[in-house]
Amino acid sequence: MHDVRALLDLGDEAVRKLARRGYALDLSVLSDLQDRRNQSIYSADELRAESKRVAKQVTEAARAGEDVTELKEHARQLKEQIREREQEQERIQQELREFVLGIPNLPLDSAPEGDSEDFAVELRKVGTPPAFDFDPKDHVDLGEAMGIFDFTRATKLSGPRFSITRGVGAALERALAWFFLTLHTQRHDYVEYGVPFLVTPTTMTGTGQLPKFEEDLFKTGVADRDLYLIPTAEVPLTNLFADEILAPADLPLGLTAHTPCFRSEAGSYGRDTRGILRQHQFAKVEMVRVCAAEDSQSEMDKMVSHAETCLKELDLAYRVVALAAGDMGFSAQLTHDLEVWLPSQNTYREISSVSDCGTFQARRAGIRTRTVEGKTTPVATLNGSGMPIGRTMAAILEQNQQPDGSVILPEALVPHLGFRRIGPDGTPQE
């Protein structure tokens, strides 16, 4: 959420920045709402002051034995006017809040121009995509042939865009989650959390999913409460500190969690509807960092390196790109994507987005720290995948497939699995 006064002070500069991400900010609407809000506050305060003066007059007149009928009627009218002004103030405040909640974060000038993935700027490539002397299969054909995926029964249970893993497939999922969590907690100094998978509308609003993106969420309820299934652990992890003031000495904070993620994924995504690349439910290990606002860029560099370590340890070929301003998520001011090589598509595909949200989410959620002068100020929040389980599985299967349909597993996973190869029939092999 934005500081309204800061947006108005930026003026045309705020309009320019938001236009880079395809949002047209109407400063006149924002200014009018702010002026009406301020006027309603001023008017209510004036009426309260007048009410106090009249109340004092009633007391003095009564003590003097004077008739206070007219004064009491005036006092009653003032109280009614105050109630009306307070109701008006509440309506204007809500209107202003709804308007501001719909404004995305201001992109940093370092974010490339453009409005789609076609405008992403490649920063670096790591590893060499494998070369095959046979036609490589995609992860769906590989997994179904080995019997480690079962999309047919998943559809029977839940409809399309769900999957079932079996045997070695389920073991590989579990090993990846364990591997990522161990990496982040033991080498990258993140604290692991177990969090709820159902959260309140207020929690969703804090990280920017509501109110703008409700159609992308799964909504349910418990008793008299509306709840949403989390689209990522970023939501509960970041909101752990909602409405809190964090001690400067405790920053930065690193948090991680392994959770299911639920997304409606409205619309059609062509070939992405096949397999495990884009599903309604998937598992992911998430990274979140909370820091002083001035440290967000250095913390982002650190976070990207943590995500890259996951892929390097698994010996997967990937690249890092800077997303265009118009292609970033609603809450991000800068995003770097990690894209892993998928032989079946002969291209790099996104596997992790690391985003610096600046103070945007912290303002919405009320997460603050103190300056050296003792004043409260919003922190900065960052988030990124470290890593999604399904997409990592797809990359491992495709990049390490063998002519006979078997798959050689990354050495880093062997201690977690106890075997080095998945046979063509889905059996573990030394």
Side-chain angles (χ1 to χ4, degrees):
M1 189 170 179
H2 292 283
D3 178 336
V4 176
R5 188 69 263 164
L7 277 180
L8 291 173
D9 287 345
L10 279 173
D12 290 341
E13 180 66 4
V15 173
R16 179 192 71 80
K17 286 177 177 290
L18 288 167
R20 297 182 65 220
R21 59 183 310 157
Y23 183 88
L25 174 62
D26 192 329
L27 283 175
S28 64
V29 172
L30 183 62
S31 179
D32 178 64
L33 285 170
Q34 179 76 339
D35 288 344
R36 286 167 54 202
R37 171 186 173 274
N38 292 342
Q39 181 57 42
S40 69
I41 293 172
Y42 175 78
S43 178
D45 287 345
E46 286 288 295
L47 287 169
R48 290 189 194 97
E50 176 65 13
S51 179
K52 288 181 179 179
R53 286 194 293 271
V54 171
K56 183 178 180 181
Q57 289 174 358
V58 169
T59 300
E60 292 175 348
R63 285 174 180 171
E66 299 175 1
D67 183 3
V68 295
T69 303
E70 290 186 8
L71 284 173
K72 284 187 174 181
E73 176 60 19
H74 185 35
R76 186 194 65 77
Q77 292 175 356
L78 284 170
K79 288 182 179 179
E80 181 62 28
Q81 291 175 30
I82 291 170
R83 277 195 299 271
E84 291 174 355
R85 291 293 186 278
E86 287 175 342
Q87 291 172 354
E88 178 187 43
Q89 181 182 331
E90 186 176 336
R91 287 194 299 270
I92 296 172
Q93 181 64 38
Q94 182 60 26
E95 190 177 351
L96 177 61
R97 174 178 168 79
E98 289 176 359
F99 184 83
V100 176
L101 282 175
I103 303 174
N105 202 354
L106 301 176
L108 295 181
D109 288 340
S110 58
E113 295 289 343
D115 59 1
S116 72
E117 62 183 20
D118 296 332
F119 295 92
V121 174
E122 183 177 287
L123 302 178
R124 57 187 170 276
K125 286 180 178 176
V126 179
T128 303
F132 300 103
D133 55 7
F134 59 92
D135 290 333
K137 297 178 180 179
D138 69 6
H139 66 279
V140 178
D141 290 337
L142 283 166
E144 289 189 323
M146 291 188 291
I148 65 173
F149 292 153
D150 192 336
F151 297 103
T152 301
R153 287 191 173 94
T155 301
K156 178 174 66 176
L157 294 176
S158 306
R161 308 278 276 276
F162 289 90
S163 65
I164 289 173
T165 54
R166 172 184 175 274
V168 168
L172 182 54
E173 281 188 314
R174 174 165 41 83
L176 283 168
W178 181 260
F179 171 69
F180 293 145
L181 287 171
T182 301
L183 188 62
H184 295 317
T185 57
Q186 295 186 8
R187 287 172 53 180
H188 297 154
D189 294 326
Y190 288 78
V191 176
E192 182 181 357
Y193 281 80
V195 294
F197 306 152
L198 289 165
V199 297
T200 66
T202 300
T203 301
M204 284 290 190
T205 301
T207 38
Q209 283 75 24
L210 288 179
K212 191 173 179 63
F213 303 102
E214 184 165 13
E215 67 175 14
D216 295 328
L217 305 171
F218 286 109
K219 185 178 181 180
T220 183
V222 175
D224 60 345
R225 306 198 308 275
D226 287 334
L227 296 172
Y228 292 86
L229 288 163
I230 60 170
T232 165
E234 166 205 344
V235 176
L237 287 177
T238 303
N239 281 282
L240 284 173
F241 307 107
D243 299 317
E244 293 185 20
I245 300 175
L246 304 176
D250 293 338
L251 300 178
L253 297 172
L255 307 88
T256 188
H258 172 228
T259 69
C261 305
F262 304 90
R263 301 181 185 180
S264 69
E265 299 288 9
S268 174
Y269 293 87
R271 61 186 174 183
D272 276 3
T273 61
R274 172 178 164 84
I276 58 178
L277 295 184
R278 193 181 294 275
Q279 297 190 303
H280 294 309
Q281 175 186 320
F282 60 97
K284 180 157 65 85
V285 172
E286 183 75 357
M287 303 179 295
V288 165
R289 295 191 74 80
V290 180
C291 65
E294 61 270 20
D295 296 332
S296 69
Q297 284 298 280
S298 61
E299 288 295 312
M300 180 167 174
D301 291 341
K302 185 183 298 183
M303 239 179 140
V304 171
S305 72
H306 295 162
E308 286 192 77
T309 299
C310 296
L311 299 180
K312 289 176 180 177
E313 290 287 315
L314 295 175
D315 200 25
L316 292 172
Y318 69 93
R319 70 172 185 167
V320 181
V321 301
L323 291 194
D327 194 36
M328 297 190 302
F330 181 81
S331 297
Q333 64 178 9
L334 185 68
T335 298
H336 287 175
D337 270 9
L338 278 66
E339 299 181 343
V340 71
W341 178 259
L342 287 183
S344 66
Q345 299 184 15
N346 196 39
T347 191
Y348 291 94
R349 297 301 306 274
E350 183 259 317
I351 193 169
S352 173
S353 283
V354 178
S355 294
D356 173 6
C357 298
T359 61
F360 184 80
Q361 291 179 329
R363 288 184 182 278
R364 295 170 75 103
I367 311 171
R368 295 158 292 163
T369 187
R370 293 191 185 277
T371 65
V372 292
E373 295 83 13
K375 295 181 179 179
T376 59
T377 185
V379 297
T381 62
L382 304 94
N383 63 80
S385 301
M387 288 280 170
I389 306 304
R391 290 196 175 202
T392 306
M393 283 182 65
I396 288 172
L397 294 176
E398 293 198 16
Q399 288 198 30
N400 295 291
Q401 62 183 294
Q402 304 300 305
D404 64 353
S406 64
V407 173
I408 297 175
L409 296 168
E411 193 64 29
L413 294 180
V414 174
H416 302 284
L417 286 167
F419 53 90
R420 288 179 167 77
R421 189 185 193 106
I422 306 175
D425 58 354
T427 57
Q429 298 178 354
E430 287 296 327

